[in-house]
Amino acid sequence: MKIVSMSLAVILLLFGSILGGCASMDAHVTPVYTVEPGKKSPLSTIPSLAVSIQVEDQRNQFELDRVGNKKNGYGQNMAKVIPDKAPADILRDALKAEFEANNHKVVAPDVSQADALVKVGLKRFWSEATIHFFDIEMVSTLETDIGILSGTGQDTLSSKPLTSTFRDSRQYAGDGAFEDSLKGALLEYVRTFSRDPAVLDALKASATRK
């Protein structure tokens, strides 16, 4: 029993050194969605649209200045994980890249010629590092409410929550681990968006109203 207790103490000390060395310094991350060259999603099956994208930051007020917390080996919050770009802009740029890669044009929200308006309420964009005995689990979540409206927003064609989660296990959780995990959640979100039946049906309906 004494040997087991000592082993657990050594493990906790090890994780304390792994996470604690730079845990007191804020991490700066820039998760970016990159379209794979030549790869199309189901969005490409919809006739070309002029799309406006609006993303409103509706996150909890206590998370507005960060997208995660760095913790020491004992699970205590030590520093912030700070995005170098506003999360709403990160998400908008990701959706813009996906639409453009699938033969659609993204226009400014105030352009009257828009065929469809994609309105997104960003509820959460967050990364957590959970310490286990033999690894560190990274979990990132992107939660939104989305609406697809015709034209400049006269008729709502679809409205629903859309969420993605990315999990990763590793031995070391430095600053790059948070960025990689958030990027994974962003990639999964765009993949889910571009394949969601309700989203596709709403965009197809917009195409028929052109």
Side-chain angles (χ1 to χ4, degrees), residues 13-25 70-73 78 172-173 175:
L13 181 61
L14 176 61
F15 278 124
S17 64
I18 289 175
L19 295 178
C22 57
S24 61
M25 297 179 62
K70 295 175 67 176
K71 300 180 180 182
N72 61 18
M78 299 295 290
Y172 175 79
D175 294 359

Side-chain angles (χ1 to χ4, degrees), residues 116-178:
L117 171 62
V118 178
K119 296 188 71 173
V120 183
L122 178 58
K123 300 296 184 180
R124 199 167 204 230
F125 192 30
W126 192 257
S127 185
E128 286 279 355
T130 302
I131 302 171
H132 302 296
F133 286 123
F134 299 107
D135 68 350
I136 301 170
E137 183 183 26
M138 302 297 302
V139 180
S140 289
T141 302
L142 205 169
E143 300 175 3
T144 68
D145 285 334
I146 63 169
I148 310 292
L149 300 90
S150 64
T152 54
Q154 300 302 315
D155 299 316
T156 300
L157 304 175
S158 179
S159 180
K160 62 176 296 181
L162 195 67
T163 300
S164 68
T165 301
F166 179 81
R167 297 177 182 274
D168 181 30
S169 179
R170 55 182 67 207
Q171 299 300 315
Y172 175 79
D175 294 359
F178 288 96

Side-chain angles (χ1 to χ4, degrees), residues 12-47:
L12 288 174
L13 181 61
L14 176 61
F15 278 124
S17 64
I18 289 175
L19 295 178
C22 57
S24 61
M25 297 179 62
D26 289 341
H28 288 265
V29 297
T30 309
V32 176
Y33 172 72
T34 303
V35 177
E36 187 176 336
K39 188 173 183 179
K40 300 292 185 181
S41 75
L43 287 177
S44 65
T45 64
I46 301 170

Side-chain angles (χ1 to χ4, degrees), residues 38 40 53 61 64 76 86 100 126 145 147 168-169 191 204 206 208:
K40 300 292 185 181
I53 303 172
Q61 61 175 325
L64 289 176
Q76 299 170 315
E100 291 179 341
W126 192 257
D145 285 334
D168 181 30
S169 179
R191 183 182 183 280
K204 288 175 183 177
S206 293
T208 62

Side-chain angles (χ1 to χ4, degrees), residues 33-107:
Y33 172 72
T34 303
V35 177
E36 187 176 336
K39 188 173 183 179
K40 300 292 185 181
S41 75
L43 287 177
S44 65
T45 64
I46 301 170
S48 182
L49 295 169
V51 181
S52 291
I53 303 172
Q54 294 180 349
V55 181
E56 182 181 353
D57 196 338
Q58 300 173 355
R59 292 176 297 149
N60 184 298
Q61 61 175 325
F62 300 109
E63 297 181 0
L64 289 176
D65 63 341
R66 69 193 76 183
V67 290
N69 290 316
K70 295 175 67 176
K71 300 180 180 182
N72 61 18
Y74 303 98
Q76 299 170 315
N77 292 340
M78 299 295 290
K80 303 174 185 177
V81 179
I82 301 173
D84 289 331
K85 192 173 187 178
D89 292 338
I90 291 172
L91 180 53
R92 184 187 182 280
D93 288 349
L95 292 174
K96 179 177 183 290
E98 184 68 7
F99 271 108
E100 291 179 341
N102 287 278
N103 307 318
H104 301 287
K105 181 180 179 181
V106 176
V107 298

